[in-house]
Amino acid sequence: MIRLLIVDDHPVVRDGLRATFTGEPDIEVVGEAGNGRQAIEMVAAHNANVVLMDLRMPELDGVRAIRRLRETAPETRVLVLTTFDTDSDVLPAIEAGATGYLLKDATTEELLKAVRAAHQGQSVLSPSVANRLIGQVRKPQRGTLTPRELEVLNLVAAGATNREAASKLFISEASIKTHLLHIYAKLDVRDRASAVGEAYRRGLLD
């Protein structure tokens, strides 16, 4: 039996979803939650094994709730159901541990199939979401950093000013600024702090 928890901050949406699963012999809606915090509590209280999770909710959003559930209930599958399919919504949800990602224009048949597949640990993605993920995988890197750029970035990460970095590398401040502009472009960032953070994320800095 699939023990399903519905999480959405709109009562009308929750009512509609509950009606969708009424009568399905292998699916039992064990509860409803209006935000991520309630979802975490109810997963534990009702032993839900599949969560139908909205993303944009008050108190605790869907992505943060997914991360928490991955820690507190790693066996529970989370299927995102939302109206948003932008990169800023899709990628964080998948990275947080969502098993699948559907949009709210999915048909009843697609939704039922997705819940059953999620219960089996299978990934389910709406076509537009799948295309976005494929696009991210195929997106070429903006460029690797040169040894000199890495030297500059290491000094910046250590807190050096442009003048201090120029002095240590025996080059002009203008050259440091040029190197930084190239680093920003390659890492797709806009400032020093973001460059350092992105470099750590990519493993370019120890």
Side-chain angles (χ1 to χ4, degrees), residues 108-203:
T108 297
E109 182 179 353
E110 289 170 339
L111 187 54
L112 291 171
K113 182 177 180 180
V115 167
R116 292 182 174 113
H119 183 244
Q120 296 297 321
Q122 301 171 15
S123 295
V124 184
L125 302 172
S126 69
S128 65
V129 171
N131 288 337
R132 283 190 177 279
L133 292 177
I134 291 171
Q136 285 293 320
V137 171
R138 291 178 177 172
K139 184 183 293 184
Q141 293 294 322
R142 296 295 295 271
T144 55
L145 301 186
T146 65
R148 177 62 88 185
E149 288 165 352
L150 283 171
E151 287 180 322
V152 171
L153 193 56
N154 269 290
L155 289 170
V156 169
T161 64
N162 287 356
R163 178 176 295 181
E164 291 168 341
S167 176
K168 290 185 179 182
L169 296 178
F170 303 102
I171 58 178
S172 68
E173 283 189 61
S175 294
I176 292 293
K177 291 178 181 178
T178 298
H179 284 310
L180 284 172
L181 289 176
H182 291 165
I183 290 168
Y184 297 164
K186 290 180 177 180
L187 298 183
D188 196 22
V189 297
R190 295 183 178 181
D191 54 47
R192 296 161 71 97
S194 298
V196 171
E198 180 64 13
Y200 276 117
R201 191 185 72 81
R202 296 190 186 190

Side-chain angles (χ1 to χ4, degrees), residues 59-135:
E59 293 193 42
L60 190 69
D61 63 36
V63 170
R64 288 188 292 168
I66 293 169
R67 290 198 191 101
R68 296 268 191 91
L69 287 172
R70 187 169 62 180
E71 298 172 357
T72 61
E75 299 301 316
T76 299
R77 312 295 186 181
V78 179
L79 178 62
V80 172
L81 182 66
T82 182
T83 57
F84 306 101
D85 66 347
T86 63
D87 287 352
S88 61
D89 292 297
V90 173
L91 299 178
I94 298 299
E95 290 173 352
T99 301
Y101 197 113
L102 286 184
L103 300 181
K104 287 182 178 177
D105 61 0
T107 66
T108 297
E109 182 179 353
E110 289 170 339
L111 187 54
L112 291 171
K113 182 177 180 180
V115 167
R116 292 182 174 113
H119 183 244
Q120 296 297 321
Q122 301 171 15
S123 295
V124 184
L125 302 172
S126 69
S128 65
V129 171
N131 288 337
R132 283 190 177 279
L133 292 177
I134 291 171

